[in-house]
Amino acid sequence: MTLTITAVRASRPGELSRIGLDVAEAVGALAAHTSSHRAAVHGLRATWHGPASDAATGVAESMAERMAVVHAALTRLQAALHTGSAALTAERTAIVHAVDRLDGQGWSVAPDGSVSVQPGSALARFAAASPVDAIRVRVLATNHTARLTELLAWFDESDRRLDRNLRDAVSDVPTDRLRTASGDPPDSAEHGPAVPIDGDPVEVRDWWNALTPAERIRVVAEQPDQIGGLDGVPVSARSDANVRVMNRDVDRVERRAAVTGGTVDQLRANAERFGLTPAAVTRYDNALRVRAALAANAAKTGGVPGFLYVYEPEAFGGEGRVAVAIGNPDEADNTTVVVPGAGNGVNTGWLTGDDAVNVYEETFAADPSRKLSVVAWMGYDAPDSLLDPQIAQPAQARHGGNLLANDVNALDVTNSADSHVTVVGHSYGSTTVADACAGYDMRADDVVLIGSPGTDLARTADDFGLPPGGQVFVGAASTDPVTYVGGDTRGTGVGVALGADPAQADFGATRIKAEVAGLSTPWDDHSGYLALGGESLYGIAEIASGHADLLDDRGLIAGERHTVGIPGMPDLDFDPELFRPATGGHAH
């Protein structure tokens, strides 16, 4: 079967590294067991003599030889998994980044890697400008296609090499003990229910509902790595599975440090010396951050249950991909997803911050009669900072939008309460939210964009594809410089930064008040939209609680930005909010 871009994107070679860590643990345990077994055989020979002794020691020695063979095979297996995972991860990253970069530049990439111009893009208009420009674009497309074809070939070869190495690693392991007394392979029931890892969320949900309570408990306990990331499984079960994996990531490092007599800091500095890999340390550090976030959320909300919805600690080069929920989304009447912007990641500690907690507290206060869940979604590779060159490129927003749409739409499959879903995106996260709606059909009822640098694929509010009654809301402080970099892309197709400014009147969104009271810097204003007492959070709580109809009554609707034409002078952008005094102390 021909390898495709889609297949590469869906692959998770980083999981091979985690499996390699488990194999390494098995190698250590088997080595200790083999040593004990040989000592027991030696003692048996010294104290027991005769035909029966000879027979017993013969069986014991044969078993010791088998154990030695298996130990050697597991050692080879771990090495193959570690090397293969590193190669496939690097090649997958190169392919995904190349495709996302081309997509952001106006190219269309087919599943087989062939590259062409996106119809209607700025690149298409450039090619249509002259025959020479058209030739240049065709040459570029050919070069890009050749490069992607080469990258796909490398990935395919690494995959085949890993397959060969894995088979070779275990080729001399005796398999007769893997059969029952009848000579048949063990019944699949011995290993619990088969998990439909390739099923769509609806199929997975139906599979889960057909399991008995005992089977559900067993499959979570025995196959947590598969259940934790399986769309269609209830959030509570996914969380149980992910917490098991998280705790294992912590225990693996701390046990190894205790057994070797070293400290965790020493292990961090030289993991290989202690028999672990750098990936194990990455997983450990991010597991501690996620564990701290769960504990912090519970403490700040007075014990509201937390759920670990997504847990991929090695994603994005170790920055991690995680989603933590305050309250169960499957039981919620109102679900709000909070998406942060640049400079945030699991490894930066955003999950332990106050953004999601503040949204939960204020939204719950707005309507305590309805069950609420707020999901802190650190599920994409955000630009590293406002100085990161990628901050002005849409590639990471589009890739993140795809991931966000998948995670939010999966909640729709398992929710039993017909939840009202609001997705809040801040800064670059607002671009990601816009792309999730406009490019990947995210199913949300309302969307709130705060501190937005532009909406990329969404040129107007209509492009979000919200259901009847759904609205796009915008919070843009007049003193927030980031909200002024969005440009109109509808004329020439070439805009500033990340697309249209959603606070402009012709975008079609509803602007809510979001000025920041008191003395502050412009960058503080950009990061203050979810601060307690502010206009922005107060308005977001009305929207997220399902009461957006009260915004006007509460005086929370802001004037929209618009262009003012002055004869003989360039058009000027006018923001009426710049002349309105900010207010504070807002709370339900």
Side-chain angles (χ1 to χ4, degrees):
M1 187 174 74
T2 303
L3 183 66
T4 65
I5 299 290
T6 305
V8 171
R9 237 188 227 287
S11 68
R12 298 173 66 183
E15 288 295 299
L16 296 174
S17 176
R18 180 198 54 74
I19 295 170
L21 296 176
D22 293 340
V23 172
E25 283 194 62
V27 170
L30 183 58
H33 189 62
T34 302
S35 179
S36 298
H37 184 79
R38 290 191 183 279
V41 172
H42 181 74
L44 188 65
R45 278 180 171 166
T47 58
W48 185 21
H49 305 282
S53 170
D54 294 341
T57 54
V59 171
E61 287 176 344
S62 175
M63 184 176 296
E65 291 173 1
R66 285 175 176 270
M67 293 168 68
V69 170
V70 172
H71 180 273
L74 287 176
T75 302
R76 294 192 299 269
L77 188 65
Q78 186 219 354
L81 286 167
H82 177 68
T83 303
S85 172
L88 287 172
T89 298
E91 285 154 12
R92 179 188 183 279
T93 299
I95 291 171
V96 170
H97 283 184
V99 171
D100 288 344
R101 185 173 62 254
L102 290 171
D103 186 53
Q105 293 171 351
W107 299 99
S108 177
V109 181
D112 65 356
S114 57
V115 178
S116 57
V117 177
Q118 292 178 9
S121 66
L123 198 60
R125 285 186 285 277
F126 174 79
S130 73
V132 173
D133 291 336
I135 292 173
R136 289 174 178 169
V137 170
R138 282 199 297 271
V139 170
L140 284 173
T142 301
N143 291 340
H144 291 321
T145 298
R147 176 57 177 162
L148 282 179
T149 300
E150 182 181 44
L151 290 174
L152 285 171
W154 288 351
F155 187 97
D156 186 54
E157 174 55 31
S158 292
D159 185 51
R160 294 176 186 275
R161 185 186 308 113
L162 175 59
D163 179 69
R164 292 192 300 269
N165 290 344
L166 293 177
R167 293 176 185 275
D168 291 344
V170 298
S171 61
D172 60 349
V173 176
T175 58
D176 55 295
R177 298 298 294 175
L178 299 180
R179 296 184 174 273
T180 64
S182 67
D184 296 325
D187 187 79
S188 61
E190 290 185 19
H191 307 286
V195 179
I197 56 175
D198 295 323
D200 66 44
V202 173
E203 292 171 340
V204 171
R205 179 195 62 193
D206 294 343
W207 164 80
W208 180 265
N209 290 339
L211 297 178
T212 66
E215 287 174 327
R216 293 173 185 171
I217 292 171
R218 181 177 182 183
V219 76
V220 168
E222 295 181 354
Q223 304 182 67
D225 300 287
Q226 294 184 355
I227 296 299
L230 193 58
D231 292 340
V233 171
V235 171
S236 60
R238 288 181 62 160
S239 179
D240 289 345
N242 284 329
V243 168
R244 283 177 177 270
V245 177
M246 177 187 71
N247 289 337
R248 188 173 64 194
D249 289 340
V250 174
D251 292 344
R252 178 186 296 114
V253 172
E254 295 184 349
R255 277 203 314 266
R256 185 57 58 89
V259 167
T260 58
T263 66
V264 170
D265 286 339
Q266 289 173 330
L267 194 149
R268 278 195 182 100
N270 192 347
E272 283 91 349
R273 175 188 168 196
F274 290 86
L276 289 178
T277 64
V281 176
T282 296
R283 295 181 71 91
Y284 174 76
D285 288 336
N286 280 338
L288 291 182
R289 296 182 180 107
V290 174
R291 181 185 281 182
L294 290 167
N297 289 347
K300 294 173 184 176
T301 59
V304 175
F307 298 85
L308 185 48
Y309 176 48
V310 176
Y311 179 69
E312 298 175 19
E314 291 183 67
F316 312 132
E319 292 186 16
R321 174 174 135 76
V322 171
V324 173
I326 305 171
N328 190 345
D330 287 347
E331 300 173 354
D333 301 304
N334 292 315
T335 299
T336 301
V337 181
V338 182
V339 182
N344 293 299
V346 177
N347 63 339
T348 68
W350 178 77
L351 292 169
T352 56
D354 292 331
D355 285 355
V357 171
N358 289 352
V359 172
Y360 183 90
E361 295 285 9
E362 196 62 35
T363 303
F364 181 78
D367 191 345
S369 69
R370 294 172 64 81
K371 291 183 179 180
L372 173 65
S373 177
V374 173
V375 180
W377 191 81
M378 194 63 256
Y380 78 117
D381 184 13
D384 292 335
S385 71
L386 293 176
L387 301 179
D388 186 338
Q390 291 302 314
I391 196 72
Q393 301 298 323
Q396 286 172 253
R398 294 183 183 184
H399 185 215
N402 190 4
L403 294 170
L404 177 61
N406 289 339
D407 288 343
V408 171
N409 291 350
L411 292 176
D412 183 56
V413 173
T414 55
N415 178 267
S416 60
D418 191 24
S419 187
H420 168 262
V421 177
T422 304
V423 184
V424 180
H426 173 243
S427 193
Y428 195 88
S430 72
T431 311
T432 302
V433 171
D435 284 346
C437 288
Y440 301 99
D441 298 321
M442 181 172 70
R443 294 190 288 275
D445 295 292
D446 291 309
V447 164
V448 185
L449 310 176
I450 49 179
S452 180
T455 53
D456 189 30
L457 297 176
R459 298 186 175 188
T460 70
D462 289 340
D463 292 335
F464 283 72
L466 300 181
Q471 295 186 68
V472 178
F473 296 92
V474 179
S478 62
T479 51
D480 177 0
V482 173
T483 67
Y484 290 96
V485 301
D488 185 356
T489 64
R490 284 166 286 169
T492 63
V494 179
V496 178
L498 296 170
D501 175 6
Q504 288 283 346
D506 58 358
F507 188 82
T510 300
R511 188 181 182 189
I512 62 174
K513 291 183 176 179
E515 298 301 299
V516 179
L519 296 176
S520 60
T521 69
W523 297 115
D524 289 335
D525 295 348
H526 178 64
S527 60
Y529 289 97
L530 298 179
L532 291 174
E535 298 175 348
S536 173
L537 179 62
Y538 192 69
I540 288 171
E542 294 291 359
I543 298 163
S545 63
H547 299 299
D549 56 318
L550 298 178
L551 289 170
D552 198 17
D553 293 341
R554 299 191 185 280
L556 295 171
I557 301 298
E560 296 160 329
R561 293 173 179 168
H562 55 274
T563 301
V564 177
I566 301 177
M569 296 181 64
D571 290 345
L572 299 175
D573 288 332
F574 175 74
D575 189 344
E577 287 292 281
L578 186 62
F579 305 98
R580 178 182 65 81
T583 59
H586 297 279
H588 288 89

